[in-house]
Amino acid sequence: IDALKTSIESFTEEGADLRYDTIYGDAMEELQDAEQELADGWDEYNTEKADVKQELADAYEELTDGEQEYRDGLQDVADGWVEYEDGLKKYEDGLIELQDAKAELDDAKAELDDAEAEFLDAKAELEDAKTELLDAKAQLDDAKAELEEGEAGYTDLKTLYDSAVQLAAATKTGTPARLIAALQSGSMPQLNGMVDQALKAQGSSLEEFVGGWTAAEESIGTELNETYLSQLRATLDAGREEYEEGLAEYENGLAQYEDGLAKYEEGYAEYEDGLKKYKDGLAEYEDGVRELRDAKIELDDAKQELLDAEQELKDARVELDDGWKEYEDGMAEADEEFRDAEEELHDAEIEIADAYEE
């Protein structure tokens, strides 16, 4: 356009020296060229303006999309913090539950330890009681054997004495002691013969009878008579009574021992059940500790991710703000450049019109 203006001015200055038709033809040709250049300028202007508008529109769309993503990111982070706080609350509640469970387990362990100590003492007492019962049983067995031996001895002595009483009455010798004395002295052969005959009829003999009597008195260390037998009977009865009392005491002690043993076994079964529950509870507690440890790691990771996301959002906010500023600056710059270009194009149109008039 500037070149065209110069040509027009030159044409005006030199027009006086040229022939009219030649000058007119050259001027028209230059004006047509100027019009073509002007048309090309408008085409380029419109094309570039459309391209810039599209670029600005694309930039605006990207910025608005970025704003939406930014808002979505803010919401996601906010939701993430809510979820994190909820998880942290559950973790802290779980920690309190574990602390309570640990305290209960410690109490249960202390009770089990006390119970175990009591059972050990009870077991020792039962073992002592069992030993005492075995000793008492052995003593009772010995006493019973002695009683049975004493009863057998008494029966033999009583049988021997009753035989002497009968023989003394039959021979009219008075008492068994007198009869035995007469038989031992042999002063009355007829008496000895009669007694021997009577004893043989019973399957015994005089010699056996007298010998048995003598051995019996040597064994008891005193005279065999009614008084001795009565005393022996009383002694045996007292011994049996004492044995029966001891047996009753033993049986009562045995019953108490068996009752105590049953209670011990029942209590020990409860102890073992409690021990099993304690071990199960301890295993569950340890599982809970591991789960909470894993949950804490996940919470720390989630917190760090949220902090990283917040930083990314801050960076994104800066980038968006920079983008909006760049967009607004670009739009302002484009508007100014297009106004200048449009003004230049309008000026060219005026100059071409002026050139036609000239």
Side-chain angles (χ1 to χ4, degrees):
I1 293 172
D2 292 337
L4 176 62
K5 183 178 180 181
T6 302
S7 297
I8 294 172
E9 290 175 351
S10 176
F11 165 76
T12 304
E13 293 173 357
E14 298 175 359
D17 299 329
L18 297 175
R19 292 176 61 195
Y20 174 78
D21 55 349
T22 302
I23 295 172
Y24 180 80
D26 291 340
M28 289 301 294
E29 184 177 352
E30 289 182 7
L31 285 172
Q32 289 173 354
D33 291 340
E35 285 182 334
Q36 183 60 48
E37 290 179 6
L38 179 62
D40 293 340
W42 276 113
D43 289 340
E44 183 178 355
Y45 166 83
N46 291 326
T47 299
E48 290 184 2
K49 186 175 183 180
D51 291 342
V52 170
K53 284 185 176 180
Q54 185 60 49
E55 289 177 4
L56 288 172
D58 293 341
Y60 181 81
E61 184 177 359
E62 288 181 6
L63 286 169
T64 54
D65 290 343
E67 289 287 352
Q68 184 59 50
E69 290 179 4
Y70 174 77
R71 287 192 295 272
D72 293 341
L74 286 177
Q75 186 61 50
D76 290 341
V77 169
D79 294 341
W81 278 116
V82 171
E83 186 176 352
Y84 168 79
E85 292 296 334
D86 183 61
L88 184 61
K89 178 68 167 55
K90 290 180 180 179
Y91 167 79
E92 292 172 346
D93 292 342
L95 194 60
I96 293 173
E97 290 179 3
L98 277 180
Q99 291 171 347
D100 293 341
K102 184 63 168 59
E104 291 178 2
L105 285 171
D106 291 341
D107 293 341
K109 185 63 168 60
E111 292 178 2
L112 286 169
D113 290 342
D114 292 341
E116 184 180 18
E118 291 177 1
F119 280 120
L120 289 174
D121 293 340
K123 186 177 181 180
E125 291 177 1
L126 285 170
E127 292 294 337
D128 293 341
K130 183 178 180 180
T131 300
E132 291 178 2
L133 285 170
L134 290 174
D135 292 341
K137 183 65 167 58
Q139 292 175 5
L140 285 171
D141 290 342
D142 291 342
K144 183 179 181 182
E146 290 178 4
L147 280 173
E148 290 176 349
E149 183 179 354
E151 288 290 348
Y154 173 80
T155 300
D156 292 341
L157 290 174
K158 186 69 168 61
T159 300
L160 182 62
Y161 181 77
D162 289 343
S163 296
V165 170
Q166 292 176 2
L167 288 172
T171 59
K172 301 187 185 307
T173 53
T175 64
R178 291 179 180 177
L179 172 64
I180 294 301
L183 293 174
Q184 289 175 338
S185 66
S187 60
M188 300 174 65
Q190 185 177 1
L191 175 63
N192 287 13
M194 183 187 304
V195 171
D196 186 51
Q197 185 177 2
L199 290 172
K200 286 182 177 179
Q202 297 175 6
S204 182
S205 66
L206 175 62
E207 182 180 359
E208 184 179 351
F209 175 71
V210 174
W213 188 277
T214 301
E217 287 188 333
E218 289 177 354
S219 175
I220 64 177
T222 187
E223 180 182 345
L224 179 60
N225 53 35
E226 186 70 32
T227 300
Y228 174 78
L229 287 172
S230 296
Q231 291 176 349
L232 179 58
R233 180 70 270 165
T235 300
L236 288 172
D237 289 343
R240 180 163 295 281
E241 183 178 356
E242 184 178 353
Y243 167 78
E244 294 293 341
E245 289 176 355
L247 181 61
E249 185 177 349
Y250 164 78
E251 290 176 345
N252 182 54
L254 180 62
Q256 291 180 358
Y257 166 79
E258 291 175 345
D259 182 61
L261 181 61
K263 289 181 179 179
Y264 168 83
E265 291 174 346
E266 180 182 357
Y268 195 77
E270 292 178 359
Y271 163 78
E272 289 184 328
D273 183 61
L275 183 61
K276 182 179 182 303
K277 290 180 179 178
Y278 166 78
K279 290 180 179 179
D280 292 342
L282 183 61
E284 185 177 350
Y285 165 78
E286 291 173 347
D287 289 341
V289 170
R290 283 190 292 272
E291 290 177 2
L292 274 183
R293 188 182 300 118
D294 294 340
K296 186 63 170 60
I297 293 173
E298 292 180 1
L299 282 170
D300 291 341
D301 292 342
K303 183 178 181 180
Q304 188 58 50
E305 289 178 3
L306 287 169
L307 292 174
D308 293 342
E310 285 184 337
Q311 185 58 48
E312 290 177 2
L313 285 171
K314 289 179 181 178
D315 296 340
R317 182 68 270 166
V318 171
E319 290 180 5
L320 282 171
D321 291 342
D322 291 343
W324 280 114
K325 185 176 184 306
E326 184 178 350
Y327 168 80
E328 290 170 355
D329 291 344
M331 188 166 61
E333 182 180 354
D335 287 343
E336 183 179 357
E337 289 180 357
F338 283 122
R339 280 196 302 272
D340 292 343
E342 189 172 353
E343 184 177 350
E344 289 179 3
L345 288 170
H346 283 306
D347 289 344
E349 287 178 341
I350 292 172
E351 289 179 2
I352 290 174
D354 290 343
Y356 270 115
E357 288 180 0
E358 290 178 5

